[in-house]
Amino acid sequence: MCSTLRYNSDMRKTFKYRIYPTKKQLHKLTGILNECRWLYNHLLDMRKTSFEQEGKSLSLYGQQETFSLLKIERPTLKGVHSQVLQNVAVRIDLAFKAFFRRVKAGEKPGFPRFRGADRYDSFTFPQSGFSITHDGRVCLSKIGTIKMVYHRPITGTVKTCTINRASMGKWYVCFSVECEPERLPERPEQVGIDVGLKTFATLSTAEEIANPRFFRKEEKALAKVQRKHAKLEKGTPARRKHRKVIARVHERIAFKRANFTHQKSRQIVDRFGVICVEDLTVNRMLHNHCLAKSISDAAWSQFFGQLSRKAEEAGRAFVKVNPAYTSQTCSSCSHRQKMPLSERVYHCPCCLLSLDRDLNASLNIRALGLQSLGLSVEASAFTPGE
């Protein structure tokens, strides 16, 4: 599979900033989340009841028309911007569309669930009701002007604004922006990338990216705080407060992992014009309970996702190839043989090639990727859009 690269098409980017609301603003933000959560559960209950009793499925616009009556029954809804309420109905509609899509595809359906007190953490201004002031603050309708860490300027046209509450109680604002992609100068280099657990990634240039194993390194710290948490009595304020200590460890792991994958993906996109990776189904690989924790810790999906987005913006070719037999096939003569995981060096009996198994796989991945693009290994340059 090759991503389609277009020179003049606009793209969507998200700019995320930390915000520091005052106590009064914090009370308003929490109140809006509670009202949105109540509305979400109410709309979900309406859809469920309507289908069970009348066999009818309510539409998005049909539910949005009931908001004027709901504001009379529940006056606190008037304290929420009208478009934020409309977006809650959109979320319900998308949840049901995804549910029916999974049913049609024969997947595990996953019926939309009601949201508990701590299970609704964001609300969105889809068109209006927000602005950025001249001094780098964000102004939100019915909330006020909130201090924002405006660490980088926004480029492009702002489309939506989402306020998010993290598990640690930190608040963020995310602006979805439509902008023109920033193309990088063309590069003739091509690379195949084989990901693994011993090393995070092996490039076809014989370079290796070490596996940082962030979760494994923090496992002892996590076990320590979880043991203390387990000793606290359920339902007590102390236990609720201590949950943030556990969340802080997970947040620290997530920050380190995201920073690592961002840096490595940026380095690869800057260096290579054609990037070939494996089309892995990571969710299915997690069914192997012996390796599930290590695979999740490696964050291959996050790495591939960032590679794909950065490559598309930079005008690079990003190709996903079928990973079948890439480790068992000789990159020199195409001879195929079984390769148990314990065998780390590929010895070809036909051409006598002796090569690290991950490097051999990365060479095969590059060859398959170039083949899907109609290019040869010796091709001097790749022109995006070919």
Side-chain angles (χ1 to χ4, degrees):
M1 183 187 74
C2 176
S3 57
T4 304
L5 305 176
R6 296 171 291 180
Y7 261 119
N8 299 320
S9 62
D10 291 336
M11 65 181 300
R12 281 289 186 104
K13 293 179 70 173
T14 300
F15 290 79
K16 185 177 180 179
Y17 305 95
R18 177 86 182 271
I19 57 175
Y20 292 90
T22 62
K23 288 185 178 180
K24 185 177 180 180
Q25 291 170 341
L26 186 61
H27 180 73
K28 290 182 179 180
L29 289 170
T30 306
I32 290 175
L33 280 181
N34 289 333
E35 293 303 315
C36 290
R37 182 181 66 87
W38 179 89
L39 181 61
Y40 185 95
N41 290 338
H42 176 75
L43 296 179
L44 176 56
D45 184 59
M46 285 178 61
R47 290 212 180 198
K48 188 178 178 182
T49 304
S50 175
F51 186 80
E52 289 175 351
Q53 295 181 356
E54 304 174 14
K56 295 181 180 179
S57 181
L58 299 179
S59 67
L60 166 65
Y61 301 109
Q63 288 196 306
Q64 288 179 338
E65 287 175 356
T66 64
F67 287 177
S68 56
L69 297 176
L70 285 176
K71 288 181 180 179
I72 298 174
E73 297 175 8
R74 190 179 174 92
T76 49
L77 287 175
K78 296 179 181 178
V80 184
H81 193 272
S82 60
Q83 290 198 354
V84 173
L85 297 178
Q86 291 172 10
N87 181 259
V88 175
V90 171
R91 294 186 182 191
I92 280 285
D93 192 59
L94 291 174
F96 272 92
K97 284 180 179 178
F99 167 72
F100 289 120
R101 174 184 54 80
R102 290 190 294 267
V103 170
K104 190 175 181 180
E107 301 174 7
K108 187 177 180 181
F111 190 82
R113 294 184 291 180
F114 292 98
R115 302 296 182 90
D118 297 324
R119 298 292 181 181
Y120 200 97
D121 295 318
S122 68
F123 59 89
T124 300
F125 295 89
Q127 290 178 325
S128 60
F130 62 93
S131 62
I132 300 175
T133 63
H134 67 282
D135 57 348
R137 294 170 179 260
V138 59
C139 185
L140 303 176
S141 176
K142 301 194 177 184
I143 298 172
T145 303
I146 305 176
K147 180 183 177 182
M148 177 175 66
V149 183
Y150 197 50
H151 56 85
R152 57 172 176 164
I154 292 177
T155 57
T157 305
V158 179
K159 293 295 183 179
T160 67
C161 171
T162 299
I163 307 300
N164 176 262
R165 179 182 62 190
S167 58
M168 278 292 296
K170 298 175 182 178
W171 291 83
Y172 297 90
V173 58
C174 303
F175 297 100
S176 179
V177 176
E178 192 176 80
C179 59
E180 292 186 2
E182 299 177 7
R183 303 297 187 189
L184 295 178
E186 293 182 11
R187 300 283 299 190
E189 292 85 358
Q190 307 148 347
V191 69
I193 303 174
D194 176 68
V195 293
L197 297 178
K198 183 181 178 183
T199 57
F200 176 77
T202 302
L203 310 187
S204 56
T205 56
E207 298 170 76
E208 290 185 349
I209 300 175
N211 190 351
R213 295 182 175 87
F214 293 117
F215 183 82
R216 294 289 186 181
K217 291 178 181 177
E218 295 281 357
E219 214 165 9
K220 287 186 178 179
L222 185 61
K224 183 178 179 180
V225 296
Q226 284 178 333
R227 280 196 301 270
K228 184 177 179 181
H229 185 77
K231 294 176 183 177
L232 298 174
E233 187 178 350
K234 291 184 178 181
T236 59
R239 188 181 174 98
R240 284 196 298 271
K241 184 178 180 181
H242 194 264
R243 285 177 59 189
K244 287 190 175 181
V245 181
I246 300 175
R248 174 56 187 154
V249 179
H250 284 292
E251 183 187 55
R252 186 165 65 237
I253 295 169
F255 282 167
K256 289 180 181 179
R257 189 180 289 138
N259 182 60
F260 170 78
T261 52
H262 269 298
Q263 288 187 2
K264 297 305 176 183
S265 59
R266 170 50 58 196
Q267 293 169 7
I268 291 172
V269 169
D270 287 347
R271 285 180 56 193
F272 300 99
V274 181
I275 302 168
C276 310
V277 301
E278 301 166 278
D279 188 11
L280 297 176
T281 309
V282 178
N283 286 339
R284 291 184 180 178
M285 298 175 71
L286 294 177
H287 294 168
N288 183 338
H289 299 294
C290 297
L291 300 175
K293 186 186 291 187
S294 297
I295 292 173
S296 298
D297 192 18
W300 296 333
S301 295
Q302 185 179 27
F303 175 65
F304 288 154
Q306 291 173 0
L307 257 182
S308 176
R309 289 188 290 271
K310 289 178 172 63
E312 184 176 359
E313 182 179 12
R316 307 301 199 210
F318 181 79
V319 189
K320 285 186 175 181
V321 304
N322 187 351
Y325 306 112
T326 52
S327 295
Q328 300 178 13
T329 305
C330 176
S331 58
S332 178
C333 68
S334 300
H335 167 75
R336 184 176 295 173
Q337 63 185 22
K338 289 187 177 180
M339 285 288 293
L341 284 174
S342 58
E343 198 170 331
R344 304 309 304 173
V345 179
Y346 188 95
H347 296 287
C348 180
C350 296
C351 66
L352 303 181
L353 175 73
S354 182
L355 200 63
D356 179 82
R357 66 174 291 150
D358 294 333
L359 177 56
N360 179 69
S362 65
L363 292 170
N364 287 327
I365 292 167
R366 183 184 66 167
L368 288 172
L370 296 178
Q371 182 182 2
S372 68
L373 291 172
L375 297 175
S376 63
V377 178
E378 294 79 14
S380 58
F382 171 76
T383 303
E386 281 187 341

